[in-house]
Amino acid sequence: MVVFEQFLQKKLPSVKRYGLEGSESILVLLDQLITEATQHGIVDIVAGLSHRGRMSILANLFEYPLDELMRKLRGGSEFSDNSPHTGDMLVDLAKPATLHYPNAQSPVSIDVLWNACHLESGMPVGMGKSRTKDINIARAKNNHQHVIGDHVLPISIHGDSSFAGQGIVAESLSMSGLTHFTNGGTVHIVLNNQVGYTTPASHTRTTRYASDIAKFADIPVIHVNGEHPEEVARAARTAVAYRQKFRKDVVIDVWTFRKRGHNELDEPAFTQPAMYRRINSRLSIPATYEKQLIAAGELTKERADTVRKQWLESLNTAFAQSSTCNPVDPQKSLAWRQLNKNGDYPTESATGVDTSLLYEIGVSSVSSPEQLKVHPRIERFHIRPRLKKLQEGAGLDWATAEALAFGSLLAEGYNVRLSGQDVGRGTFSQRHAMMVCQETEQVYVPLNHMKTKRLHEQQLGKLEVVNSNLCEEAAVGFEYGVSIEDPTTLAIWEAQFGDFYNNSQTIFDGYIASGETKWGQQNGLVLLLPHGFDGGGPDHSSCRIERHLQLSNDPIDGHTSAMPNLYVTYPTTPAQFFHLLRRQVKRNFRKPLIVAAPKTMLRLASATSNLSEMRPGTCFKPVLDDPTVRDPHSVKRVMLVSGKLYYDLAKLKVENPLGEHVSIVRVEELAPFPRRELFHVLSRYINATDFVWVQEEPRNAGSYTFAASRIKSLLPKHAELRYVGRSECAATCSGIESQQNAEHMQLTAEAFDGLRGLVADLVIDSIALQHSQPKQQMDKPASVISASVSHRWANRAMYAAQSSDH
């Protein structure tokens, strides 16, 4: 251990490696934890490492190839030479390993988590991943006596200051014992070097111990002096025994010190002179323990010197080979290997389902045992209307379409995990995926009891309805962990209101949006973020579409070789939502899906779908043309819109006497931007001269900034894209209802301003064209294609011959 740290300090003195000097007994602790776990039948370890000591742990214990590690330390990539991934910092490095322990029933797999640099953000990710891994191992073994935690042990290492200071720690500990979040207990190691960067412990927390935050969740804490390796090993044995008996989290608070500064380039004596006078006067922990072993006759100096010499030779060899080595990319699990490799371009297939099966699923979604007493309002306003609409095959609302998507995936053997605050009923009392008996409070999930003629012999998946605790960052991190572990589970997190995702921005930025780019780690997490300006005020109206679009790697210039890192959608019909959910797992790859989900559209009569729109051969459409346009040649203004504002504009179009000259085109998928699909729609309107983007969000928010440049590249020569919507505003929207209503009326009215002049131009062009025709053609119907606009689309023909990128 000391040899490794000293070698790096000599060879690479300017590299910030956040060494383990002063805390070397952490290696003893980890090794003993894994040894004990294997004696209890544990076959998999999910390890979340901290910055401190990661290099030593990977090299000394987790068998990270030394030449690859040296390559990374010297500034090279952790991935192979032809890898498309950008990699990450040294302190976030990860690679799976397989270790062999004496007397273990089988080798143990070490799943080291990739994690973003934001302190403790990987904690809930490890929880979600380990729970899912454990359940899947039990399913594969067909173990009906399984208790969560039987097969997988999660280990999470924390710094003392971050464990006490980061809110995500409290969120994660709070959910650790909840039914749908427990992983059988995580062993938390607090690497307590008694200083936070340069801040003394007395200024980093109010509590006496850094680990005291665990007490609110009734989690036991074992305090141990890191200078005594044998006591550290004893703490590990105690922790595993407790975890296996009670299946709860346990904390080991290891009191250690930090030989150098926060990193190797810091001078700690600037701020802790007294502490570092004492530290510099001490032998290292390995050296002290070595002297004890030699004195006890259990080790000879010659044997110790030989081990050090051999280790040093290995390091020198690896250092020499690092300049020419080509790392082997981490092998993925079998489930992930069955999907396409990272970088393969997405392709689409139909996601429709036989309508008779959908009808049976829909009936099952509101069926319950006779003894379960359903609330009369649910019976009147939810169950009966759904059955009636299913019978008619028309007027299906969003909750019904969602239930059909879930049920059809369950019928195909996929699992669905729906998580979030109040998702069982739904924030807007629309879902009722779980029913609660009014007499016993027994919870019943109808879709887990589907009984149809064609499904009785099939292995159905399971719908897990998870009403989460009242947090966002840890909850989203947990579901991300579920998603990266199991690509056959449709993992969904729904915010109460889209704005609430703000509290989990770290997980969005560091994991969901960039994890594949950095680490090659795909995820298929779905995020349902209710969005819409309907009187909710500035903190209940916007899911911040603009932020998600900013995270997209969609190229502004339309370069088609770019691989989408995420999908951002704002669907306007239940059928579109149905196809989006099914598309997420029917693809042969995984990408995160962000949905600006409906609020008022949930019960909007015009925002419904027919069962036929979900039949075989149908699929999600990134762009929806205006279904009311009879003659495309008569259209002078094309309005482009995304989301629920479409229905307000469509209503005004019907009421406007010149509405036939307007087409309202819906952009349902914003990222990756649907250039080809939109071009094919726009090119129908060859006489259109006015193109308008209409949105209800302020100009500095919403989709306009992202979409404008992409749309302009598709428009005919000399055409411009106008903006209609609210002006720039620091707040999402007004909290004064009358003001918001006035703004809404103004922007929707403005969308139709100036139509009379545009139509007059069309009439003039038509008359001029008729007079210019030869007499023998006068008897034929006159075309209204203006000569001045007939060739304006020539410069955009490149999109016509290319296949869809969706």
Short mmCIF file of all heavy atoms in Angstrom, two decimals, residues 8 124 145 178-179 195 212 216 221 266 271 282 306 310 373 386 398 474 488 517 566 622 635 642 646 660 761 796:
data_model
loop_
_atom_site.label_atom_id
_atom_site.label_comp_id
_atom_site.label_asym_id
_atom_site.label_seq_id
_atom_site.Cartn_x
_atom_site.Cartn_y
_atom_site.Cartn_z
N LEU A 8 3.82 6.48 -6.89
CA LEU A 8 3.11 7.51 -7.65
C LEU A 8 3.60 8.91 -7.28
O LEU A 8 3.70 9.78 -8.14
CB LEU A 8 1.60 7.40 -7.41
CG LEU A 8 0.91 6.13 -7.92
CD1 LEU A 8 -0.59 6.22 -7.68
CD2 LEU A 8 1.18 5.89 -9.40
N PRO A 124 -27.40 6.97 -3.85
CA PRO A 124 -28.66 6.33 -4.22
C PRO A 124 -28.56 5.50 -5.49
O PRO A 124 -29.34 4.56 -5.68
CB PRO A 124 -29.61 7.51 -4.40
CG PRO A 124 -28.74 8.65 -4.76
CD PRO A 124 -27.47 8.44 -3.99
N GLN A 145 -37.95 -18.16 -2.06
CA GLN A 145 -37.72 -17.86 -0.65
C GLN A 145 -36.77 -16.68 -0.48
O GLN A 145 -36.27 -16.42 0.61
CB GLN A 145 -37.12 -19.10 0.05
CG GLN A 145 -37.94 -20.36 -0.11
CD GLN A 145 -39.36 -20.21 0.44
OE1 GLN A 145 -39.53 -19.64 1.52
NE2 GLN A 145 -40.34 -20.71 -0.27
N LEU A 178 -37.34 1.65 3.36
CA LEU A 178 -38.67 1.63 2.76
C LEU A 178 -38.84 0.40 1.86
O LEU A 178 -37.90 -0.04 1.20
CB LEU A 178 -38.91 2.91 1.97
CG LEU A 178 -38.81 4.21 2.77
CD1 LEU A 178 -39.05 5.41 1.86
CD2 LEU A 178 -39.81 4.21 3.92
N THR A 179 -40.06 -0.11 1.81
CA THR A 179 -40.33 -1.39 1.15
C THR A 179 -39.81 -1.44 -0.27
O THR A 179 -39.20 -2.43 -0.69
CB THR A 179 -41.86 -1.65 1.15
OG1 THR A 179 -42.32 -1.69 2.50
CG2 THR A 179 -42.17 -2.96 0.45
N VAL A 195 -10.91 16.30 8.73
CA VAL A 195 -10.82 17.63 8.15
C VAL A 195 -11.49 17.59 6.78
O VAL A 195 -11.41 16.60 6.06
CB VAL A 195 -9.33 18.09 8.02
CG1 VAL A 195 -8.55 17.13 7.13
CG2 VAL A 195 -9.23 19.52 7.51
N ASP A 212 -23.20 10.91 12.81
CA ASP A 212 -24.43 11.04 13.61
C ASP A 212 -25.68 11.20 12.76
O ASP A 212 -26.79 10.96 13.24
CB ASP A 212 -24.30 12.23 14.57
CG ASP A 212 -23.51 11.88 15.82
OD1 ASP A 212 -23.24 10.68 16.03
OD2 ASP A 212 -23.15 12.80 16.58
N PHE A 216 -30.85 9.26 12.84
CA PHE A 216 -32.28 9.54 12.66
C PHE A 216 -32.99 8.39 11.96
O PHE A 216 -34.21 8.24 12.06
CB PHE A 216 -32.48 10.84 11.86
CG PHE A 216 -32.48 10.67 10.36
CD1 PHE A 216 -33.66 10.48 9.66
CD2 PHE A 216 -31.30 10.69 9.65
CE1 PHE A 216 -33.67 10.33 8.29
CE2 PHE A 216 -31.29 10.54 8.28
CZ PHE A 216 -32.48 10.36 7.59
N VAL A 221 -23.98 2.64 14.33
CA VAL A 221 -22.68 3.17 13.92
C VAL A 221 -21.59 2.47 14.73
O VAL A 221 -21.67 2.39 15.96
CB VAL A 221 -22.59 4.69 14.14
CG1 VAL A 221 -21.22 5.21 13.72
CG2 VAL A 221 -23.69 5.41 13.37
N ASP A 266 -1.60 20.24 -2.45
CA ASP A 266 -1.98 21.16 -1.38
C ASP A 266 -0.92 21.19 -0.28
O ASP A 266 -0.21 20.19 -0.04
CB ASP A 266 -3.31 20.74 -0.76
CG ASP A 266 -4.49 21.22 -1.58
OD1 ASP A 266 -4.30 22.11 -2.41
OD2 ASP A 266 -5.59 20.69 -1.38
N THR A 271 -3.45 25.71 6.94
CA THR A 271 -4.68 25.84 7.72
C THR A 271 -4.74 24.93 8.94
O THR A 271 -5.51 25.19 9.87
CB THR A 271 -5.91 25.55 6.83
OG1 THR A 271 -5.69 24.31 6.13
CG2 THR A 271 -6.11 26.67 5.80
N ARG A 282 4.61 10.92 12.70
CA ARG A 282 4.15 9.54 12.89
C ARG A 282 4.62 8.64 11.77
O ARG A 282 4.80 9.08 10.63
CB ARG A 282 2.60 9.48 12.95
CG ARG A 282 1.99 10.41 13.96
CD ARG A 282 0.49 10.52 13.74
NE ARG A 282 -0.24 9.41 14.31
CZ ARG A 282 -0.68 9.37 15.57
NH1 ARG A 282 -0.44 10.40 16.37
NH2 ARG A 282 -1.34 8.33 16.02
N THR A 306 10.95 -8.43 0.69
CA THR A 306 10.73 -9.15 -0.56
C THR A 306 9.40 -8.77 -1.20
O THR A 306 9.32 -8.55 -2.41
CB THR A 306 10.76 -10.67 -0.30
OG1 THR A 306 12.05 -11.03 0.21
CG2 THR A 306 10.51 -11.44 -1.60
N GLN A 310 8.95 -6.96 -4.87
CA GLN A 310 8.15 -7.54 -5.94
C GLN A 310 7.06 -6.57 -6.41
O GLN A 310 6.80 -6.44 -7.60
CB GLN A 310 7.52 -8.86 -5.46
CG GLN A 310 8.53 -9.98 -5.24
CD GLN A 310 7.89 -11.19 -4.60
OE1 GLN A 310 6.78 -11.14 -4.05
NE2 GLN A 310 8.61 -12.32 -4.65
N LYS A 373 -63.38 -3.21 -1.59
CA LYS A 373 -64.36 -2.14 -1.71
C LYS A 373 -63.69 -0.88 -2.27
O LYS A 373 -62.90 -0.21 -1.59
CB LYS A 373 -64.98 -1.83 -0.34
CG LYS A 373 -65.64 -3.04 0.31
CD LYS A 373 -66.73 -3.64 -0.56
CE LYS A 373 -67.37 -4.84 0.12
NZ LYS A 373 -68.39 -5.50 -0.76
N ARG A 386 -63.85 4.47 -18.17
CA ARG A 386 -62.82 3.75 -18.93
C ARG A 386 -63.43 2.56 -19.67
O ARG A 386 -63.13 2.34 -20.84
CB ARG A 386 -61.69 3.28 -18.00
CG ARG A 386 -60.63 2.46 -18.73
CD ARG A 386 -59.41 2.17 -17.88
NE ARG A 386 -58.68 3.39 -17.56
CZ ARG A 386 -57.54 3.42 -16.89
NH1 ARG A 386 -56.99 2.28 -16.46
NH2 ARG A 386 -56.92 4.56 -16.64
N TRP A 398 -55.41 9.94 -21.27
CA TRP A 398 -53.99 9.67 -21.07
C TRP A 398 -53.75 8.53 -20.09
O TRP A 398 -52.87 7.69 -20.32
CB TRP A 398 -53.30 10.94 -20.56
CG TRP A 398 -53.25 12.02 -21.59
CD1 TRP A 398 -54.28 12.83 -21.98
CD2 TRP A 398 -52.12 12.40 -22.39
NE1 TRP A 398 -53.86 13.69 -22.96
CE2 TRP A 398 -52.54 13.47 -23.23
CE3 TRP A 398 -50.80 11.96 -22.47
CZ2 TRP A 398 -51.68 14.07 -24.13
CZ3 TRP A 398 -49.94 12.57 -23.36
CH2 TRP A 398 -50.38 13.61 -24.19
N ALA A 474 -32.29 11.96 -4.46
CA ALA A 474 -32.01 10.56 -4.17
C ALA A 474 -32.97 9.63 -4.92
O ALA A 474 -32.57 8.56 -5.38
CB ALA A 474 -32.10 10.30 -2.67
N THR A 488 -34.31 -4.45 -19.23
CA THR A 488 -35.63 -5.04 -19.52
C THR A 488 -36.71 -4.51 -18.59
O THR A 488 -37.86 -4.93 -18.67
CB THR A 488 -35.58 -6.57 -19.43
OG1 THR A 488 -35.29 -6.95 -18.08
CG2 THR A 488 -34.51 -7.13 -20.36
N THR A 517 -21.94 9.10 -22.69
CA THR A 517 -20.81 9.79 -23.33
C THR A 517 -19.53 9.59 -22.54
O THR A 517 -18.47 9.32 -23.13
CB THR A 517 -21.12 11.29 -23.45
OG1 THR A 517 -22.30 11.46 -24.24
CG2 THR A 517 -19.97 12.03 -24.13
N LEU A 566 -30.03 11.75 -25.50
CA LEU A 566 -31.30 11.67 -24.80
C LEU A 566 -32.42 12.10 -25.74
O LEU A 566 -32.17 12.68 -26.80
CB LEU A 566 -31.30 12.52 -23.52
CG LEU A 566 -30.88 13.99 -23.59
CD1 LEU A 566 -31.99 14.86 -24.16
CD2 LEU A 566 -30.51 14.50 -22.20
N PRO A 622 -42.77 11.87 -34.60
CA PRO A 622 -42.08 13.05 -34.06
C PRO A 622 -42.73 14.37 -34.44
O PRO A 622 -42.58 15.36 -33.74
CB PRO A 622 -40.67 12.94 -34.65
CG PRO A 622 -40.52 11.49 -35.00
CD PRO A 622 -41.88 11.04 -35.42
N VAL A 635 -52.65 27.41 -47.68
CA VAL A 635 -52.05 27.80 -46.40
C VAL A 635 -51.00 28.88 -46.63
O VAL A 635 -50.08 28.73 -47.43
CB VAL A 635 -51.42 26.58 -45.71
CG1 VAL A 635 -50.59 27.02 -44.51
CG2 VAL A 635 -52.50 25.60 -45.28
N SER A 642 -45.40 23.21 -29.78
CA SER A 642 -45.14 21.96 -29.08
C SER A 642 -45.96 21.94 -27.80
O SER A 642 -45.94 22.90 -27.02
CB SER A 642 -43.64 21.85 -28.75
OG SER A 642 -43.33 20.58 -28.22
N TYR A 646 -51.27 23.75 -28.47
CA TYR A 646 -51.88 23.40 -29.75
C TYR A 646 -53.40 23.45 -29.66
O TYR A 646 -54.08 23.94 -30.60
CB TYR A 646 -51.44 21.99 -30.17
CG TYR A 646 -52.31 21.39 -31.24
CD1 TYR A 646 -52.20 21.78 -32.57
CD2 TYR A 646 -53.30 20.45 -30.91
CE1 TYR A 646 -53.03 21.24 -33.55
CE2 TYR A 646 -54.13 19.91 -31.88
CZ TYR A 646 -53.99 20.31 -33.19
OH TYR A 646 -54.82 19.78 -34.15
N GLU A 660 -58.77 28.57 -42.49
CA GLU A 660 -58.36 27.58 -43.50
C GLU A 660 -57.00 27.89 -44.11
O GLU A 660 -56.38 27.03 -44.75
CB GLU A 660 -59.41 27.51 -44.61
CG GLU A 660 -59.53 28.81 -45.40
CD GLU A 660 -60.59 28.74 -46.47
OE1 GLU A 660 -60.41 27.93 -47.41
OE2 GLU A 660 -61.61 29.45 -46.34
N ASP A 761 -52.58 38.61 -50.34
CA ASP A 761 -51.43 38.31 -51.20
C ASP A 761 -51.66 37.03 -51.99
O ASP A 761 -51.31 36.94 -53.18
CB ASP A 761 -50.16 38.16 -50.37
CG ASP A 761 -49.71 39.49 -49.78
OD1 ASP A 761 -50.15 40.54 -50.29
OD2 ASP A 761 -48.91 39.47 -48.82
N ARG A 796 -33.56 22.74 -50.12
CA ARG A 796 -33.73 21.86 -48.97
C ARG A 796 -34.07 20.43 -49.39
O ARG A 796 -34.48 19.63 -48.60
CB ARG A 796 -34.87 22.37 -48.07
CG ARG A 796 -34.65 23.79 -47.57
CD ARG A 796 -33.46 23.85 -46.61
NE ARG A 796 -33.27 25.19 -46.07
CZ ARG A 796 -32.40 26.05 -46.54
NH1 ARG A 796 -31.62 25.72 -47.56
NH2 ARG A 796 -32.28 27.25 -46.00
#
